[in-house]
């Protein structure tokens, strides 16, 4: 376990949970200038860290690790009330099982520095959102991930994907019907929807 030279409390804290030492060091090197970076080589080590009361803002989780998997580590952290944002950073191709996972972003390796930083910045910006918008952004990330990896036929045949789209529509309606105090949230939902639609239009076709 290690951390950057930044003073505690002055920078947001990112916990990198990755069993490959070279990747842990690479992510830490990329992030250390702007974040306090903590690292763990396995899920159990990460759980011990948060159990000791270390405050974490964003957790980057590999899915396939010795001992506890990333999915199990994520579930344990959620159960223990860890209030961080979670991004899966993994070589595992996403399948429909990701719909039931409690992550906020899903990155498929290899990941470059800009994409990793952009994801962390985006997750950090969500901290003040309402619970409904939190759920909306999480589900939208899962929808976008599946749409880039599954064929239209597979999506159409999936009951889980249909339920995801139904829940997204319910959340959109809930946020857009909110009172004036949530007006900014509703506008953000519209912006997210337009980004999602733009992603669908520009997604390159596989050869």
């Amino acid at each position: 376990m290690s951390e950057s030279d930044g003073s505690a409390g002055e920078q947001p804290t990112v916990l990198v949970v990755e069993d490959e030492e070279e990747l842990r060091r690479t992510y830490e090197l990329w992030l250390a200038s702007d974040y306090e970076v903590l690292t763990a080589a396995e899920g159990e080590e990460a759980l011990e860290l948060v159990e000791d009361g270390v405050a974490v803002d964003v957790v980057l989780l590999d899915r396939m690790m010795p001992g506890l998997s990333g999915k199990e580590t994520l579930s344990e952290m959620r159960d223990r009330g860890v209030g961080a944002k979670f991004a899966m950073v993994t070589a595992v191709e996403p399948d429909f099982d990701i719909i039931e996972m409690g992550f906020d972003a899903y990155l498929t390796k290899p990941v470059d520095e800009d994409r990793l930083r952009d994801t962390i910045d985006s997750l950090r910006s969500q901290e003040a959102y309402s619970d409904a918008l939190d759920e909306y952004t999480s589900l939208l990330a899962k929808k976008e991930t599946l749409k880039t990896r599954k064929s239209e036929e597979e999506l159409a045949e999936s009951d889980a994907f249909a339920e995801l789209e139904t829940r997204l529509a319910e959340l959109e309606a809930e946020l857009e019907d909110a009172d004036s105090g949530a007006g900014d949230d509703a506008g953000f939902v519209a912006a997210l929807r337009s980004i999602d639609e733009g992603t669908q239009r520009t997604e390159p076709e596989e050869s």
Side-chain angles (χ1 to χ4, degrees):
M1 187 189 317
S2 64
E3 60 184 82
S4 70
D5 294 333
S7 300
E10 293 183 358
Q11 296 174 306
T13 300
V14 175
L15 171 59
V16 177
V17 189
E18 167 62 61
D19 63 305
E20 293 187 29
E21 183 177 1
E22 183 176 352
L23 279 179
R24 287 199 309 276
R25 291 181 175 178
T26 297
Y27 295 163
E28 183 174 13
L29 179 64
W30 287 350
L31 302 174
S33 62
D34 295 307
Y35 298 95
E36 180 179 3
V37 182
L38 308 176
T39 64
E42 57 186 15
E44 290 88 346
E45 184 180 357
L47 290 173
E48 289 175 4
L49 191 154
V50 297
E51 191 71 19
D52 289 339
V54 175
V56 177
D57 298 290
V58 175
V59 180
L60 305 180
L61 269 174
D62 189 14
R63 281 189 69 175
M64 301 296 292
M65 297 183 292
L68 287 179
S69 68
K71 176 182 177 181
E72 292 168 332
T73 302
L74 170 57
S75 179
E76 281 290 327
M77 286 190 171
R78 290 293 196 197
D79 288 346
R80 298 182 189 192
V82 176
K85 295 293 183 180
F86 292 85
M88 289 290 188
V89 186
T90 175
V92 179
E93 285 293 316
D95 208 336
F96 293 110
D97 62 340
I98 70 170
I99 294 173
E100 300 302 322
M101 296 183 193
F103 62 78
D104 302 289
Y106 195 102
L107 304 181
T108 305
K109 296 175 182 175
V111 177
D112 62 26
E113 180 177 355
D114 287 342
R115 190 178 181 205
L116 194 66
R117 281 179 163 273
D118 287 347
T119 298
I120 293 171
D121 289 345
S122 176
L123 293 178
R124 287 277 296 146
S125 72
Q126 295 176 20
E127 287 187 341
Y129 298 162
S130 66
D131 290 343
L133 190 52
D134 242 6
E135 182 182 359
Y136 183 88
T137 55
S138 176
L139 291 179
L140 186 60
K142 294 168 185 177
K143 175 184 175 181
E144 291 173 346
T145 297
L146 289 170
K147 287 181 74 70
T148 62
R149 299 292 176 174
K150 296 293 184 181
S151 68
E152 291 186 6
E153 182 179 0
E154 288 175 310
L155 294 173
E157 292 177 350
S158 169
D159 291 339
F161 190 76
E163 291 173 2
L164 182 151
E165 290 198 304
T166 297
R167 181 56 181 157
L168 277 171
E170 292 172 350
L171 288 166
E172 285 181 9
E174 178 182 337
L175 290 164
E176 290 171 353
D177 289 343
D179 61 22
S180 58
D184 290 343
D185 283 353
F188 186 74
V189 170
L192 280 176
R193 191 188 307 116
S194 68
I195 292 171
D196 180 35
E197 291 169 352
T199 300
Q200 295 173 33
R201 287 194 298 270
T202 59
E203 183 66 30
E205 295 183 1
E206 295 184 0
S207 56

